[in-house]
Amino acid sequence: MKRISQRDIARQLGVNVSTVSRALRGLEGVSPQLKEQIEKLAREGGYRPNPFAVSLRYDTTHTIGIVVPDVAFNQYAHIVKHIEAEARSAGYMCIITDSNDIYENEVNCVELLVNMHVEGVVICPSQDTQDFTHLLRLRQYHIPVVIFDRVPDLDISSVMINDVASARHATNNLIEGGAKRIAFLGGTNQLKQTIDRKHGYLEALREHNMPIRTELVKCHHISYNSGLTDTLDLLRLPEPPDAIVATHGLLAISVLQAVASQGLRIPEDVAVIGYMTDWVSEMSHPRVSFIKQNLREIGIKAFRLLQDQMNGDESVQHIIVKANLELRDSTKNINQ
């Protein structure tokens, strides 16, 4: 059965909708007898206030929007989970949208959220995004926005991991384990995240006076197929890599498949360190050593930054969440 509305109650009793509204909100101006009739019909008909109608009436929706490149991807799903939990505890609802890692979709997602009168937006941009006009426009509309994970050089609050330091740590570990030819597998060079992680990788090579081989650096679109193609190209070099730093979970998994397809062993022939969640690492074979990101802290800090803005804080803050190297099977025997 359809849930009864204020209009339905008003029609049955032959009164104005405003009278029903006043009675259900406990306001004066409605006789006790009529108020009792209205409440009885509402109770029997399963009446519930429409939160969107109420919020629009008072110009506050208590709703935030979230935009991610792929809500099904393990990392983003966990971050969204923690943003939503923190938002719910603060009395906010979340509208979650998925750009499918495409710039045009991302712009449409943001426009949809603006039309839904959200009070703020938390977003991880697509890897194709180079024009951030749609995010700068949110500030013109006085809609707070926080960027996480893939953070560009913008005057907008953000939460990210220590990209440079984590990549340097991963590369140093491979060098100290005996690797001589370390490849870097990253996203496109337009991503600041790729630039920063590559910077950390190069820093480690320089610190150990190791040659920088441009043929060992592959920076293309983040996808399984791209990672597979790039890894196979690396393995077919006259001097192939004996270790690979893969800066995304999809790239790390593609490395495992490519290495196995060439009859090589991990870590005996090629050591691997990836950026992924512990769950994905545990499910891989062999288990991949990885940069572990504190997804809970990223989600919580992203919402709290947004909440501060919604409460009137106009300062721009850039928060760095520390990520740590977790060693598993893909690196432990590299020096043997």
Side-chain angles (χ1 to χ4, degrees):
M1 292 179 60
K2 179 183 176 183
R3 184 176 292 169
I4 199 168
S5 67
Q6 290 189 13
R7 191 175 299 279
D8 296 328
I9 296 172
R11 188 182 301 113
Q12 290 187 44
L13 296 176
V15 298
N16 292 327
V17 175
S18 60
T19 301
V20 175
S21 177
R22 293 180 66 83
L24 293 176
R25 286 187 290 152
L27 302 179
E28 296 180 355
V30 184
S31 68
Q33 182 181 3
L34 180 56
K35 183 173 184 294
E36 184 179 344
Q37 289 179 295
I38 291 171
E39 289 177 342
K40 183 174 183 293
L41 279 176
R43 188 167 53 251
E44 292 175 349
Y47 169 78
R48 291 289 186 277
N50 185 332
F52 291 102
V54 173
S55 62
L56 290 174
R57 183 184 303 128
Y58 295 102
D59 198 27
T60 173
T61 62
H62 277 279
T63 302
I64 68 167
I66 304 173
V67 185
V68 291
D70 183 355
V71 75
F73 189 67
N74 188 262
Q75 174 179 318
Y76 298 130
H78 275 79
I79 294 174
V80 167
K81 175 182 177 179
H82 294 301
I83 294 173
E84 194 278 332
E86 195 72 8
R88 181 161 25 91
S89 68
Y92 286 86
M93 296 183 292
C94 295
I95 299 175
I96 301 166
T97 61
D98 187 327
S99 71
N100 199 29
D101 225 359
I102 298 172
Y103 167 72
E104 291 78 9
N105 291 354
E106 180 183 305
V107 173
N108 291 336
C109 288
V110 171
E111 184 177 355
L112 168 68
L113 295 172
V114 171
N115 292 337
M116 293 291 289
H117 292 257
V118 297
E119 294 187 33
V121 174
V122 182
I123 182 170
C124 174
S126 79
Q127 59 181 310
D128 294 331
T129 302
Q130 298 183 64
D131 181 357
F132 296 93
T133 304
H134 56 302
L135 300 186
L136 297 173
R137 192 179 297 124
L138 288 176
R139 300 190 66 180
Q140 295 175 0
Y141 295 155
H142 304 289
I143 300 175
V145 58
V146 171
I147 304 174
F148 71 92
D149 191 42
R150 298 171 180 168
V151 178
D153 282 320
L154 292 176
D155 193 30
I156 293 177
S157 291
S158 64
V159 181
M160 60 186 289
I161 68 165
N162 51 331
D163 283 317
V164 176
S166 62
R168 183 171 60 242
H169 189 189
T171 309
N172 276 331
N173 178 270
L174 294 170
I175 294 171
E176 291 161 4
K180 303 298 183 183
R181 298 177 305 281
I182 304 172
F184 177 90
L185 201 59
T188 61
N189 284 311
Q190 72 191 37
L191 281 175
K192 184 177 182 297
Q193 183 183 81
T194 299
I195 294 171
D196 288 347
R197 293 178 183 179
K198 182 163 60 175
H199 181 63
Y201 157 81
L202 294 173
E203 276 189 351
L205 295 182
R206 293 189 184 102
E207 288 170 6
H208 290 82
N209 297 314
M210 295 182 67
I212 296 172
R213 304 171 185 264
T214 56
E215 70 273 17
L216 294 182
V217 177
K218 298 284 188 178
C219 295
H220 297 119
H221 198 271
I222 297 172
S223 70
Y224 175 81
N225 288 336
S226 177
L228 194 65
T229 299
D230 282 343
T231 306
L232 289 174
D233 287 345
L234 288 169
L235 297 176
R236 290 164 181 161
L237 289 170
E239 292 185 285
D242 55 10
I244 298 175
V245 176
T247 64
H248 191 279
L250 281 176
L251 299 179
I253 296 302
S254 67
V255 168
L256 298 187
Q257 296 299 314
V259 171
S261 73
Q262 299 303 297
L264 300 173
R265 299 166 300 164
I266 295 176
E268 290 84 0
D269 299 312
V270 184
V272 180
I273 293 180
Y275 280 70
M276 57 176 57
T277 63
D278 46 5
W279 180 84
V280 176
S281 172
E282 291 300 321
M283 293 294 290
S284 63
H285 182 73
R287 297 179 306 158
V288 178
S289 295
F290 64 103
I291 298 295
K292 182 175 183 178
Q293 306 174 59
N294 192 330
L295 306 181
R296 179 177 184 275
E297 187 176 356
I298 292 171
I300 289 174
K301 288 189 181 297
F303 174 75
R304 289 182 180 174
L305 269 184
L306 191 73
Q307 186 178 31
D308 287 345
Q309 292 183 49
M310 293 188 293
N311 289 335
D313 185 354
E314 297 183 357
S315 65
V316 174
Q317 301 180 55
H318 300 293
I319 295 178
I320 306 295
V321 175
K322 185 178 180 182
N324 299 302
L325 176 61
E326 297 281 332
L327 297 178
R328 297 294 186 268
D329 303 331
S330 68
T331 55
K332 66 179 182 179
N333 295 320
I334 186 172
N335 58 351
Q336 294 182 358

